[in-house]
Every structure is written in structure tokens, then in C-alpha cells.
Amino acid sequence: MRREYSKLLALSAVLLLVASPCVSFQTSKLATRTTSTKIAMTSSSEQQLLKDDLVALASSTRRGFSASRKDRDKAKSIINELSKLSPTEEPAAAYYSDAQATSDDIVPSLAGKWTLIYTDAPDITSLDAPVSIQKLGRIGQECDPPLIKNVIEWKRPSWASSLPFSGDEDSRILQKIVTEGASTPADNPTVDLKLVGLEISGTNGSMEESNSGLVNSLLNGPAALFEQNPIKLQGPLKGPFGKFDILYLDDEMRITKTYQGYYTVNVRQEKENEWF
């Protein structure tokens, strides 16, 4: 009886030794998956907090137009942290050539319509002059590969409300600087730009269809004039227009850095709120 019991103990010990690595391996895999999930959740949470801080800073500084040096330093610090957490490995992929494209379903994608919420670029912040014949409205970008259109909305300034031929408060002019973007897997996340044209259009809510025509357009202000006579200039020649690096890209936000070292932060437009 004792001999049989000893054999049973020995067999149990062997089975335990054989099974232990399997149990350990399964436990290790579970621990790895759990750790990976926790890291992903932490990163996502950290991303959202940083994005919220950046949006709040953008709002308090009027898109960066009134930002102090301290504000700009804070924005740069947030951007640096977000760039480490960008979820998109190939943010410039939408502007690869067809032969170089890795997938037709690259998500998140640079393609789409974007609205500027923050910048420290002086060529943009200088547009908001205190006295101007046009009031600066929204600023955006339309990315429709291979084209990238920089969009500026101009409105009637408040001081011109009593002037004739100035349109109404809903009048606006859209100015679009048309460029062509290009990138490669080797250049990712950099997009090179070439200037290819200019577009100007307008909308004037008070102008009735029956009042169309050049003379009536002039009487209803510049927005009505460009509504009836939009300008689209695009020739065969293309000139260098700089380049930018995509530091962060997800489904909601995009952060870029120009070759001069300036930052722009854009949010993707929702279809129901598109303004161009």
C-alpha cells in the first residue's frame, strides 16, 4: 500500500513538473496582454488630456494670435509630448504616389477638411490686423490628394456695416492658395509642397438670384461679385512652396511643423459643420 502511494506521489510530481511550464507560459501571455492593454489605455488617456489642454490653450489665446511667449512655450511642450503618442505610423501616406501607396484604407488619413485652432506662424497671425478692409474669419485646409488648399475666410469688417456696396454681415470671401503635396515612404512624415494656383469665391446671403449680373454684383459688395464671378487660376508651372512634417495625426486632430519651425494645430471638420 505504501509502495503504491509512493508511486502515486512520484507520478504527481512528474505531472506537476511537466505542466508547470505550460501554466507559467499561459500566465506570462496573459500578463503580457494585460500589460499591453493597460499601456494602450494609459496612452489613450494621456493623449486625450494633452489634446484637451492644447484645445483650451488655443481657445484662450485666440488661435495663438494673442499668445505670449509663455503660452507658445506651453503649446510647444504639449505638442512635443503628443508627437510621442501619435497613433499613425505613416501620416503622410495619403500623399504617396499610387505606386508607393501601402493601402487605400489608411486610417487615420491626412485627407479631409481641417480647421485651424492654433498656430505660432507669423505669416498667419499677422493676418488679423486691427484695421483692415476685410475681417479675418476662419482658416482651414482642404486635403484632397494630390492637392492641398489653404483656405482663408474674409468677412465684412464691423466698421463698414454702414457703407454702401459692402454686402451684409453674412457676406464672405473664400481665398484658397492651391498647392500640390507629395511624399514617399522614405520621406514620411514630411510632405513637400508646390504652388499650383489660386481660387477666390464668395457668398452673399442678401443677394437674390434675380439680381444677378455684374452691375448688381458690384452693388451688393465684393462677396457678391466673387459669388457671381469666381476666380480660378491654375497654370502649367509649379513653384516650390515649402514643406511640413506631420507630428501628430489621429481621426480628430492634426499637428504639423513647417520647415521654418512653426507649428499649426488643426481639427477635422464634421460633415454637418463644414464651412467650405
Side-chain angles (χ1 to χ4, degrees), residues 192-213:
D192 284 294
L193 299 173
K194 290 184 178 180
L195 180 64
V196 297
L198 170 69
E199 296 178 7
I200 301 177
S201 61
T203 57
N204 186 52
S206 66
M207 184 175 175
E208 297 180 3
E209 189 174 345
S210 59
N211 291 330
S212 61

Side-chain angles (χ1 to χ4, degrees), residues 114 116 123-124 127 138-144 147-154 174-180 193-200 241-242 244 254 256 258 264 266 275-276:
W114 302 84
L116 178 80
D123 60 328
I124 298 178
L127 294 174
R138 291 164 289 191
I139 300 173
Q141 197 171 68
E142 181 177 6
C143 297
D144 185 16
L147 298 180
I148 297 178
K149 299 181 180 182
N150 299 314
V151 186
I152 302 175
E153 179 186 53
W154 297 103
L174 291 183
Q175 172 189 328
K176 298 182 180 181
I177 306 298
V178 185
T179 67
E180 191 174 276
L193 299 173
K194 290 184 178 180
L195 180 64
V196 297
L198 170 69
E199 296 178 7
I200 301 177
F241 201 67
F244 62 85
R254 185 198 75 192
T256 60
T258 68
T264 60
N266 288 264
W275 57 273
F276 65 83

Side-chain angles (χ1 to χ4, degrees), residues 41-59:
M41 291 177 65
T42 302
S43 297
S44 178
S45 176
E46 186 177 357
Q47 282 174 333
Q48 193 58 54
L49 288 173
L50 289 168
K51 286 165 61 176
D52 290 344
D53 286 345
L54 190 53
V55 169
L57 180 62
S59 177

Side-chain angles (χ1 to χ4, degrees), residues 102-124:
T102 55
S103 171
D104 293 331
D105 302 314
I106 299 170
V107 176
S109 174
L110 189 63
K113 294 182 178 182
W114 302 84
T115 297
L116 178 80
I117 64 167
Y118 175 85
T119 186
D120 61 357
D123 60 328
I124 298 178

Side-chain angles (χ1 to χ4, degrees), residues 26 35 59 78 93 125 135 146 153 171 188 193 208 236 261 271:
Q26 294 295 335
T35 302
S59 177
I78 296 173
T125 57
K135 177 184 176 182
E153 179 186 53
S171 300
N188 179 73
L193 299 173
E208 297 180 3
K271 285 192 175 296

Side-chain angles (χ1 to χ4, degrees), residues 2-274:
R2 287 183 178 178
R3 185 178 299 175
E4 293 299 326
Y5 182 68
S6 298
K7 287 182 179 180
L8 182 59
L9 286 176
L11 180 59
S12 299
V14 171
L15 290 174
L16 182 61
L17 287 173
V18 172
S20 293
C22 297
V23 173
S24 177
F25 178 67
Q26 294 295 335
T27 304
S28 176
K29 288 205 301 183
L30 178 59
T32 301
R33 287 198 299 267
T34 303
T35 302
S36 299
T37 302
K38 286 181 178 179
I39 291 173
M41 291 177 65
T42 302
S43 297
S44 178
S45 176
E46 186 177 357
Q47 282 174 333
Q48 193 58 54
L49 288 173
L50 289 168
K51 286 165 61 176
D52 290 344
D53 286 345
L54 190 53
V55 169
L57 180 62
S59 177
S60 66
T61 61
R62 297 176 48 250
R63 296 183 287 187
F65 286 44
S66 61
S68 64
R69 179 180 293 274
K70 183 178 180 181
D71 292 328
R72 290 192 293 271
D73 288 343
K74 181 179 179 180
K76 185 176 180 180
S77 176
I78 296 173
I79 288 170
N80 287 338
E81 290 302 312
L82 268 175
S83 65
K84 300 173 186 177
L85 301 172
S86 181
T88 311
E89 294 183 2
E90 296 186 82
Y95 285 87
Y96 294 169
S97 67
D98 292 340
Q100 297 167 329
T102 55
S103 171
D104 293 331
D105 302 314
I106 299 170
V107 176
S109 174
L110 189 63
K113 294 182 178 182
W114 302 84
T115 297
L116 178 80
I117 64 167
Y118 175 85
T119 186
D120 61 357
D123 60 328
I124 298 178
T125 57
S126 62
L127 294 174
D128 194 21
V131 179
S132 174
I133 60 172
Q134 294 290 334
K135 177 184 176 182
L136 180 66
R138 291 164 289 191
I139 300 173
Q141 197 171 68
E142 181 177 6
C143 297
D144 185 16
L147 298 180
I148 297 178
K149 299 181 180 182
N150 299 314
V151 186
I152 302 175
E153 179 186 53
W154 297 103
K155 296 184 174 183
R156 186 191 68 181
S158 55
W159 61 261
S161 59
S162 60
L163 296 179
F165 319 130
S166 62
D168 60 24
E169 61 182 1
D170 295 323
S171 300
R172 65 180 188 140
I173 295 173
L174 291 183
Q175 172 189 328
K176 298 182 180 181
I177 306 298
V178 185
T179 67
E180 191 174 276
S183 186
T184 67
D187 292 331
N188 179 73
T190 301
V191 178
D192 284 294
L193 299 173
K194 290 184 178 180
L195 180 64
V196 297
L198 170 69
E199 296 178 7
I200 301 177
S201 61
T203 57
N204 186 52
S206 66
M207 184 175 175
E208 297 180 3
E209 189 174 345
S210 59
N211 291 330
S212 61
L214 180 58
V215 174
N216 285 315
S217 296
L218 289 170
L219 294 175
N220 282 280
L225 175 63
F226 288 118
E227 183 176 24
Q228 295 296 315
N229 306 277
I231 294 175
K232 187 173 183 178
L233 303 175
Q234 192 166 329
L237 300 179
K238 302 176 183 179
F241 201 67
K243 58 185 176 181
F244 62 85
D245 291 334
I246 307 167
L247 304 181
Y248 182 90
L249 176 66
D250 64 18
D251 289 323
E252 301 172 331
M253 180 177 284
R254 185 198 75 192
I255 303 174
T256 60
K257 182 180 181 181
T258 68
Y259 71 104
Q260 301 107 319
Y262 299 115
Y263 298 93
T264 60
V265 181
N266 288 264
V267 293
R268 193 183 297 275
Q269 291 186 32
E270 297 178 354
K271 285 192 175 296
E272 59 270 22
N273 294 320
E274 289 184 355

